[in-house]
Amino acid sequence: VNPSNGEALNLMGAVCLDTYRYQPAIELFRRANAVLPNDMRILSNLAAACRECYEMDDALKYGHEAALLGINDSSVLFNYCTTLLMTGNFSLAKRLLMRVIGLDHDNVAAHIALGHLLLLHGEMDAGWREVAPWEEGRKDKAQQFPFIKWNGMKLESDLALMIICDQGFGDVIQHVRFIENIVKERCPRVYLVGDPKLSFLSRIKGVEKFFSSYLHVPNDIGAYTYTS
């Protein structure tokens, strides 16, 4: 690749990012950024790659720079929101998610992320107004709740861990066998959301409740999610 061709470097980095080769992606995006330092797409891609490697300081830095350049670009802003949510910067994430929706009202992921954020912080009515219209009738509900992801941190007593059982049966079983330890060490209670055929999982020690649909979850629950 021509080292002076920033667009080509960015494209190659995007291919690496899409194929889970995050470190090569970071290197390519950094090289592209050196050639085109004020390109919001390159900066946003670099932020996403850093986030995947849990290099959160760099993810925040490049995401912020991209957002300043792309203040009217919904995809750039939403990518930055993802990092803000993962790092607990909820206040700024909320404001930017509202801007994303203002720019792109049909952005389902932004509505769901904002709704989930509101629910997490006790704004139940507002949260469900964001969530419900986009969830009804959707076949794959669990995939619409990527935020706020649980990353293993210890949760406060008023929060729960909601495990979304949307993978194959074998994958689900591999994950739920750790629930008892999770409850002992990381969170006070666990809820499961999945196909009704998996309701027998409610008998696992540590599972407080099983829901056959996210829409059946009571409005007074604040929870982080984890997809099994």
Side-chain angles (χ1 to χ4, degrees):
V1 179
N2 186 340
S4 63
N5 190 329
E7 292 182 0
L9 291 167
N10 183 50
L11 180 59
M12 289 187 64
V15 171
C16 289
L17 184 59
D18 288 342
T19 53
Y20 312 109
R21 292 177 290 163
Y22 300 128
Q23 288 298 340
I26 289 174
E27 177 60 27
L28 287 163
F29 290 140
R30 288 190 189 279
R31 290 168 59 190
N33 181 52
V35 177
L36 300 171
N38 294 314
D39 189 301
M40 65 179 181
R41 298 292 178 189
I42 294 173
L43 287 166
S44 187
N45 286 340
L46 178 53
C50 289
R51 184 175 65 240
E52 293 295 341
C53 291
Y54 293 95
E55 297 177 9
M56 291 306 189
D57 288 343
D58 282 344
L60 286 168
K61 174 180 180 292
Y62 295 120
H64 178 69
E65 292 177 8
L68 290 176
L69 293 167
I71 194 62
N72 293 314
D73 188 290
S74 61
S75 63
V76 168
L77 292 179
F78 186 70
N79 183 48
Y80 184 35
C81 286
T82 303
T83 305
L84 292 172
L85 289 166
M86 290 182 68
T87 53
N89 291 280
F90 299 136
S91 179
L92 179 55
K94 179 180 177 181
R95 295 198 301 272
L96 288 181
L97 283 169
M98 289 178 175
R99 179 164 182 80
V100 170
I101 292 170
L103 294 168
D104 180 12
H105 181 72
D106 294 330
N107 189 322
V108 175
H111 280 284
I112 297 299
L114 178 58
H116 201 182
L117 179 57
L118 293 170
L119 290 171
L120 182 63
H121 287 86
E123 299 181 50
M124 300 303 172
D125 291 339
W128 282 101
R129 281 198 299 271
E130 290 293 333
V131 170
W134 304 97
E135 276 298 284
E136 293 178 3
R138 298 190 66 85
K139 181 178 180 181
D140 191 359
K141 294 179 173 58
Q143 290 299 324
Q144 304 308 315
F145 290 88
F147 309 109
I148 297 170
K149 292 182 179 179
W150 183 65
N151 62 5
M153 70 287 207
K154 189 172 184 178
L155 299 183
E156 298 296 332
S157 59
D158 60 338
L159 294 174
L161 174 62
M162 188 175 300
I163 299 179
I164 311 297
C165 304
D166 68 336
Q167 303 298 315
F169 182 78
D171 290 328
V172 171
I173 295 300
Q174 287 297 318
H175 282 82
V176 298
R177 62 197 179 100
F178 297 110
I179 286 177
E180 185 175 352
N181 287 337
I182 290 173
V183 171
K184 287 180 180 178
E185 299 179 7
R186 287 290 180 265
C187 67
R189 56 190 181 279
V190 167
Y191 303 104
L192 298 181
V193 181
D195 188 283
K197 294 177 182 178
L198 296 173
S199 62
F200 68 91
L201 296 176
S202 62
R203 297 196 293 269
I204 295 174
K205 187 175 182 179
V207 174
E208 186 166 315
K209 186 74 174 178
F210 180 90
F211 300 100
S212 61
S213 166
Y214 194 92
L215 294 177
H216 296 161
V217 178
N219 290 0
D220 60 350
I221 289 179
Y224 279 70
T225 61
Y226 175 79
T227 300
S228 67

